[in-house]
């Protein structure tokens, strides 16, 4: 069964989300607080995607996201927010979320986002068998892992997908729209700026100096290039 965690403190919204996910074939694990969500994740290690409300009593959704990412780089995380401020979106993504959905949202939009993230987060186990070596980096496409100088770099599944796209196209300038379609899918509902935030996260992880990147370089007014 495809398991999804739904963290939402408002009962009516949580019920709305759960009903629609169940209709789409998901087994839902419900939580009304951050503390409850973290406890239920411990008891359900096979959860592939977590929907986290931002505004919560106790620890908020951002902190829940940070704690999950501290122990699990594979699970897909979508932030749910009633606020549309740019900073909330960026904060959620920089704390480790893969996507965000602003309330109110349609059932079709939410299900499409969960479907896409579930496939990337291990629900779809198809994978290449091999490695891509571009020293000092080694991408293992079977285990979906990245090493730099022999040291493992912890990546989310979205970050892995971006890295694989780059390493499959060394030296090629890729537009933001190309990256968005390749990683998030042709039917992605969100905004292209999600690409920029994920690039910022990746630079922190792979660059010697993220403020002066040499591997992931910006092609101004267009997109990015893997600098080999």
């Amino acid at each position: 069964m495809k398991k999804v965690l739904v963290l939402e403190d408002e009962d009516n919204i949580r019920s709305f989300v759960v009903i629609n996910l169940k209709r789409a074939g998901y087994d839902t694990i419900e939580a009304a607080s951050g503390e409850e969500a973290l406890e239920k994740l411990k008891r359900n290690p096979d959860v592939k995607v977590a929907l986290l409300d931002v505004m919560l009593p106790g620890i908020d959704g951002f902190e829940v996201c940070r704690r999950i990412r501290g122990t699990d780089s594979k699970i897909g995380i979508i932030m749910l927010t009633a606020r549309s401020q740019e900073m909330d979106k960026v904060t959620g993504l920089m704390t480790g979320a893969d996507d965000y959905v602003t309330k109110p949202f349609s059932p079709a939009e939410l299900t499409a986002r969960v479907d896409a993230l579930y496939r990337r987060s291990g629900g779809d186990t198809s994978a290449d068998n091999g490695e891509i070596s571009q020293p000092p980096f080694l991408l293992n496409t079977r285990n979906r892992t990245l090493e730099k100088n022999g040291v493992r770099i912890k990546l989310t599944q979205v970050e892995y997908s971006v890295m694989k796209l780059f390493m499959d196209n060394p030296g090629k300038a890729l537009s933001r729209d190309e990256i968005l379609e390749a990683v998030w899918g042709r039917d992605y509902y969100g905004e292209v700026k999600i690409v920029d935030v994920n690039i910022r996260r990746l630079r922190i992880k792979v660059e010697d100096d993220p403020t002066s990147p040499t591997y992931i370089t910006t092609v101004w007014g267009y997109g990015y290039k893997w600098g080999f």
Side-chain angles (χ1 to χ4, degrees):
M1 180 65 80
K2 302 185 295 183
K3 283 189 177 181
V4 177
L5 173 76
V6 180
L7 168 56
E8 169 60 65
D9 64 319
E10 294 187 38
D11 293 342
N12 59 332
I13 297 177
R14 189 172 67 253
S15 296
F16 169 77
V17 172
V18 166
I19 288 171
N20 284 284
L21 288 176
K22 285 183 175 179
R23 285 175 179 166
Y26 289 98
D27 180 19
T28 56
I29 308 297
E30 299 182 48
S33 70
E35 293 83 355
E36 183 183 7
L38 293 170
E39 182 59 36
K40 288 193 172 181
L41 276 177
K42 289 181 183 178
R43 300 203 303 263
N44 295 273
D46 53 343
V47 168
K48 300 293 185 186
V49 175
L51 304 180
L52 309 179
D53 185 33
V54 170
M55 299 299 293
L56 295 166
I59 61 175
D60 65 14
F62 297 140
E63 180 60 25
V64 174
C65 182
R66 289 189 191 96
R67 295 190 189 185
I68 292 174
R69 279 290 177 247
T71 59
D72 188 344
S73 63
K74 302 296 186 183
I75 188 172
I77 298 177
I78 300 175
M79 305 300 294
L80 305 177
T81 175
R83 300 178 297 177
S84 59
Q85 285 94 329
E86 193 66 25
M87 187 52 63
D88 287 338
K89 299 174 183 178
V90 173
T91 299
L93 293 170
M94 290 305 291
T95 54
D98 299 294
D99 203 354
Y100 56 82
V101 179
T102 303
K103 303 173 187 175
F105 45 79
S106 71
E109 176 186 3
L110 184 64
T111 301
R113 299 283 190 96
V114 173
D115 286 345
L117 196 51
Y118 186 88
R119 288 193 298 270
R120 287 195 301 271
S121 299
D124 182 354
T125 56
S126 61
D128 298 322
N129 291 314
E131 297 177 339
I132 303 174
S133 178
Q134 293 170 3
F137 296 97
L138 178 66
L139 191 75
N140 187 310
T141 58
R142 179 170 53 85
N143 298 329
R144 299 172 71 86
T145 57
L146 178 71
E147 294 180 0
K148 179 182 181 183
N149 293 317
V151 178
R152 177 76 58 84
I153 297 174
K154 291 180 66 175
L155 299 179
T156 69
Q157 290 303 304
V158 166
E159 290 166 350
Y160 166 84
S161 297
V162 175
M163 281 300 303
K164 185 174 186 303
L165 178 65
F166 278 140
M167 294 180 74
D168 279 338
N169 296 276
K172 179 183 177 182
L174 298 170
S175 73
R176 288 174 174 82
D177 288 332
E178 283 181 280
I179 298 170
L180 188 71
E181 181 174 328
V183 175
W184 282 267
R186 186 184 300 271
D187 299 323
Y188 179 69
Y189 283 85
E191 302 166 82
V192 73
K193 64 174 64 70
I194 196 171
V195 172
D196 300 317
V197 180
N198 274 274
I199 296 300
R200 284 170 56 188
R201 282 194 341 210
L202 270 175
R203 282 174 168 164
I204 291 170
K205 295 182 177 184
V206 307
E207 297 285 354
D208 298 323
D209 179 5
T211 63
S212 182
T214 58
Y215 300 116
I216 305 175
T217 55
T218 299
V219 181
W220 295 107
Y222 186 73
Y224 300 94
K225 183 177 71 172
W226 182 239
F228 281 81

